[in-house]
């Protein structure tokens, strides 16, 4: 309980006293979020999100809580495996010494792209927005044809539609 110091001459009124039980819901939510942020490092994101979900849905009626619980329980593995993939990706980045691309890398990629576009006989294009829709459609069809041929070759090479022959 925090209380403002009053002199003996002034009468005590309720405006000067603030009790701990009058914390607003936003203050409690802010404290919960800050506590959750502190425990993310120790417990992991999945557990923290589950605990935060349980704390926020404890006041909901059962008619809303039951379908919401089913939905969230189906999302928990997705959250967990995405967290695992993130950490594996982070380890790969550290071990392989990957760095973020710089502006010069994008410029080099753009010049290579325009060399390829010149090879395909697309002339007078200053940006990708200048390419006509017909050429985009033709390119999409060719890409689909090449990717489907690749997939068919993989299936023939494996000898099965899904997986390898045992």
């Amino acid at each position: 309980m925090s209380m403002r110091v009053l002199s003996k001459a002034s009468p005590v009124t309720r405006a000067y006293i603030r009790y701990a039980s009058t914390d607003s819901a936003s203050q409690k939510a802010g404290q919960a979020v800050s506590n959750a942020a502190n425990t993310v490092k120790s417990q992991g994101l999945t557990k923290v999100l589950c605990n935060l979900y349980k704390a926020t849905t404890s006041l909901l009626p059962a008619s809303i809580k039951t379908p919401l619980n089913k939905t969230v329980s189906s999302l928990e593995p997705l959250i967990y495996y995405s967290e695992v993939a993130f950490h594996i990706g982070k380890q790969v980045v550290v071990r392989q010494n990957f760095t973020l691309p710089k502006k010069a890398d994008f410029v080099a990629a753009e010049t290579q792209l325009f060399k390829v576009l010149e090879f395909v006989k697309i002339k007078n294009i200053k940006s990708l927005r200048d390419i006509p829709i017909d050429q985009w459609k033709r390119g999409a069809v060719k890409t689909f044809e090449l990717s489907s041929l690749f997939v068919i070759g993989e299936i023939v090479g494996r000898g099965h539609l899904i997986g390898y022959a045992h």
Side-chain angles (χ1 to χ4, degrees):
M1 172 175 79
S2 62
M3 184 170 33
R4 189 172 157 187
V5 178
L6 303 172
S7 65
K8 291 184 178 182
S10 65
V12 176
T13 60
R14 292 206 43 95
Y16 293 116
I17 300 173
R18 180 163 189 258
Y19 295 99
S21 63
T22 60
D23 285 345
S24 68
S26 63
Q27 288 174 340
K28 288 180 182 178
Q31 290 173 351
V33 168
S34 65
N35 291 341
N38 291 335
T39 57
V40 165
K41 295 176 185 172
S42 62
Q43 291 183 354
L45 183 65
T46 307
K47 281 189 175 183
V48 171
L49 286 177
C50 291
N51 292 338
L52 189 61
Y53 167 76
K54 288 175 186 174
T56 55
T57 58
S58 62
L59 301 175
L60 292 175
S63 61
I64 296 173
K65 195 185 232 182
T66 304
L68 192 61
N69 283 341
K70 288 181 182 177
T71 305
V72 169
S73 66
S74 66
L75 291 177
E76 282 181 22
L78 176 71
I79 294 170
Y80 173 75
Y81 287 119
S82 63
E83 185 179 3
V84 169
F86 169 74
H87 287 294
I88 289 173
K90 195 166 60 170
Q91 288 177 0
V92 168
V93 166
V94 169
R95 300 255 159 116
Q96 298 294 329
N97 293 325
F98 288 142
T99 59
L100 293 174
K102 297 183 174 47
K103 189 173 181 179
D105 297 333
F106 287 112
V107 171
E110 186 180 19
T111 57
Q112 282 187 333
L113 175 66
F114 283 120
K115 284 181 184 177
V116 169
L117 290 177
E118 285 178 17
F119 178 74
V120 181
K121 307 279 188 218
I122 299 175
K123 305 264 180 176
N124 299 328
I125 294 177
K126 295 178 183 166
S127 72
L128 294 176
R129 292 186 182 140
D130 294 338
I131 299 174
I133 294 176
D134 293 341
Q135 289 181 348
W136 277 112
K137 289 179 183 176
R138 277 190 242 127
V141 168
K142 292 291 182 188
T143 303
F144 178 74
E145 287 175 2
L146 290 174
S147 62
S148 60
L149 284 173
F150 173 78
V151 169
I152 291 170
E154 285 284 315
I155 292 169
V156 170
R158 286 192 305 247
H160 282 289
L161 186 64
I162 299 173
Y164 288 93
H166 295 287

